[in-house]
Amino acid sequence: VHVSFDNGGHWQSLRLNMPATSIRDLVIKDDDLVIGTHGRSFWILDNITPLRQLSAQLASRDAILYEPQAAYRIRWNMNPDSPLPPEEPAGQNPPDGAIIDYYLKDKVQATLLEMMDPNGKLVRTFTSNDTLYEIPNVNIPLYWIRPQQILSAEKGSHRFLWDLRYAPLNIPASYPISAIYGSTAPEPSSPWVMPGTYSVKLTVNGQTYAQSLVVKMDPRVKSSMEDLKRQYDLSVSCYHNREKLTNAIQEIGLVRSQLKSLESKIKGPLLARLQDIDQKLAALESRSSASALARLDDSLTSLFSILQDTDMPPTRQAISAFEEINPRFDQAMASYAAVKKELSSTNEALKKAKLTLVKF
């Protein structure tokens, strides 16, 4: 398979990873190139939009951000339970999300990719300085897990995938039983974005390149935009509240470890004051009461999963559950803010005693 950019004047190979074989048919379907071989197999090159857009003028630039093809918000993995064995013959699905193609003439110090919603609000950010998340101890072979992707700053052509979700929460990854060999993504902790026209911005060496990205809904979904918006609004609220809870729980763990290290250096009323603060933090951190942070996080996690597991409007029960959790969330965060205020004044006493301050 060859491609020409000057009406057949010159040709170059488009073989990529294809074997050397006789090709009997070639069809362009939407943005994909489909090839049938003499061996009765077929190959699909997903997303040929860069080939359509590339020109001599573009090729002379230091960087190119191609206009992305339309992305479909689709539930890519529909396996109901146990996965297919790796030896089971199966085709490879196209990438699940928005495919962002870009080109760098030379290696650069850093790259920045930003996704903006139709209102211009920042939804997701990727940089070449991002780090890979740590894979926790799991009871599955690691070859089932999807390789992680970092935005590249190297010379050449690059393809990056955005999963059409907000940034995941900073919590340990977990993986579903409905796995796909070599491509099992973590259970999502962030919501889908709504269908609409988004802006993609690539920043390289201080220069920003922008393109539009159309996100469409799975055509099999018949829910109205109003219903999807109701689902989205509740999901985003759960997500942001979980984000606050996650940060608070991690902060409490850090503060309590500092308090423990100070106990042997302090006596008298100041020690009693720190111990009282530690008890309050322990109560907030636990699952002992309905307004404890960890218990609230459990409730919001369950509600978020219910809302995001289907492309349907939220049920009355889900809405009632959210309305019941919200006051408890506000109460818990107010209690935590009060303890932090108490910690700030305690730091003044520690400072006078020439002791290490508690950081939070």
Side-chain angles (χ1 to χ4, degrees), residues 68 77 83 92 162 208 235 268 325:
N77 181 1
Q92 183 180 359
W162 174 39
T208 298
S235 298
I325 293 171

Side-chain angles (χ1 to χ4, degrees), residues 40 47 59 67 76 97 147 161 231 253 266-267 284 286 290 307 311 353:
R40 296 179 182 174
N47 187 10
E67 182 180 355
W76 186 73
L161 187 71
Q231 177 213 38
I266 301 174
K267 295 179 181 179
L284 278 171
S286 71
L307 290 166
D311 298 308

Side-chain angles (χ1 to χ4, degrees), residues 181-202:
Y181 174 70
S183 195
T184 305
E187 293 276 17
S189 60
S190 55
W192 294 105
V193 298
M194 280 288 290
T197 302
Y198 289 72
S199 297
V200 181
K201 294 183 179 180
L202 176 70

Side-chain angles (χ1 to χ4, degrees), residues 94-112:
D96 51 322
I99 300 173
I100 311 299
D101 288 293
Y102 65 100
Y103 167 80
L104 302 176
K105 187 175 182 180
D106 297 297
K107 181 179 179 179
V108 296
Q109 226 174 11
T111 50
L112 169 67

Side-chain angles (χ1 to χ4, degrees), residues 317-333:
Q317 292 90 335
I319 295 172
S320 297
F322 180 80
E323 291 172 347
E324 187 271 330
I325 293 171
N326 244 1
R328 291 195 283 125
F329 170 81
D330 292 339
Q331 178 187 344
M333 295 308 293

Side-chain angles (χ1 to χ4, degrees), residues 70-74 164 194-196 213-219 225:
Y72 284 88
R73 206 188 93 173
I74 191 167
L164 303 180
M194 280 288 290
L213 166 66
V214 177
V215 176
K216 296 182 178 181
M217 196 62 206
D218 184 338
M225 284 297 109

